[in-house]
Amino acid sequence: MRSLPARRIAAVALTAAASVVALAGPAFAHVTVNPGNAPQGGYTAVDFRVPNENDAASTVKLEVNLPLDHPLASVRTLPMPGWTATIEKSKLDKPIKVHGNDVNEAVSKITWTADAGTKIAPGQFQEFRVSLGPLPTDTDKLVFKALQSYDNGDVVRWIDEAKDGQPEPAKPAPVLALTKAASGDGHGVAATASAAPAADGHGHTDDAKDEAAADTKASDSTARVLGVVGIVVGVIGTAFGILGLRRKSSAS
């Protein structure tokens, strides 16, 4: 009978460890914009990162809606083998000025559809690259509502907007944070961002910034995973330590 409390303690500890892992998992399953920030007024290239979170189906389509309250005059997709990108434009209620010219319409939606035999299978993810600009200067963020479609007919709607002081919604929309530009190039466009990699003078493109951002993202993800593993190991170790002390007391 004396061993019963120890068993209960061990069971509770293991349950707690499982809960920690379960809570840590969903944070990696969101559709996100990477990198997550860019300077106002400039051009940038971002990836819409789409993880497959369904264990029994594959992702075959992604729809990204671009905000028309802060329209983007230039939107271009990077060709991806196995995927067909379709761009839809909408007429603006009020034209915007871009480099002194009136722009009356803007891209309102991008749809990537998988070709036959192509998919994002369970346990995989895909990145869809887009160049955007000029980024608005009258807002601190752009919200891209997205729909992720699976080959079994399921559709996940990543459209919920986070609110200050409130928990993160279950299906948050991808958000690109806009920061104040440090300097301009004299044409209202920040010199710190570029819609495409710059050439180094030898025919090679400069992807150093993209690689640095990817390395930072990977490091952050690795740190989070290691933190979770450390908590789990600590909880399990404590449980078995208590169990050992209980057994020692019973034996004496």
Side-chain angles (χ1 to χ4, degrees):
M1 294 298 292
R2 289 182 180 179
S3 62
L4 184 58
R7 291 178 180 176
R8 287 180 178 173
I9 291 172
V12 169
L14 291 175
T15 301
S19 299
V20 170
V21 174
L23 290 173
F28 297 97
H30 298 341
V31 172
T32 57
V33 178
N34 296 279
N37 58 75
Q40 293 177 339
Y43 290 79
T44 190
V46 299
D47 293 316
F48 289 96
R49 185 171 296 168
V50 183
N52 190 91
E53 59 175 10
N54 192 318
D55 294 333
S58 298
T59 297
V60 292
K61 185 167 70 172
L62 174 69
E63 302 168 68
V64 175
N65 294 280
L66 282 69
L68 288 180
D69 54 344
H70 298 290
L72 298 167
S74 176
V75 177
R76 294 181 174 85
T77 60
L78 183 70
M80 291 181 57
W83 294 85
T84 299
T86 303
I87 289 180
E88 298 180 25
K89 294 185 177 182
S90 296
K91 189 172 181 62
L92 301 176
D93 294 334
K94 182 180 179 181
I96 58 174
K97 285 279 188 183
V98 179
H99 304 307
N101 299 316
D102 286 337
V103 176
N104 297 298
E105 64 178 12
V107 174
S108 56
K109 185 177 181 180
I110 307 174
T111 302
W112 287 272
T113 305
D115 298 339
T118 301
K119 60 186 177 181
I120 307 174
Q124 297 180 347
F125 76 95
Q126 183 61 270
E127 291 181 334
F128 300 85
R129 171 151 284 211
V130 181
S131 68
L132 306 169
L135 300 175
T137 58
D138 58 348
T139 183
D140 61 358
K141 66 179 179 180
L142 290 176
V143 179
F144 302 93
K145 297 185 177 183
L147 276 66
Q148 180 180 7
S149 299
Y150 288 86
D151 56 9
N152 65 352
D154 290 348
V155 178
V156 180
R157 300 169 62 85
W158 302 96
I159 62 173
D160 297 330
E161 296 188 42
K163 297 181 179 180
D164 293 339
Q166 299 293 325
E168 183 182 57
K171 302 296 179 184
V175 176
L176 176 65
L178 301 179
T179 59
K180 294 293 183 181
S183 62
D185 64 357
H187 302 281
V189 179
T192 55
S194 173
D200 63 1
H202 300 284
H204 300 119
T205 57
D206 181 8
D207 290 330
K209 292 183 179 179
D210 288 342
E211 292 176 0
D215 290 343
T216 300
K217 186 71 177 179
S219 298
D220 290 344
S221 298
T222 301
R224 292 174 66 183
V225 172
L226 291 177
V228 171
V229 171
I231 293 172
V232 173
V233 172
V235 171
I236 293 176
T238 301
F240 280 104
I242 294 173
L243 182 60
L245 289 175
R246 291 283 185 175
R247 288 179 175 175
K248 185 176 181 179
S249 298
S250 299
S252 61

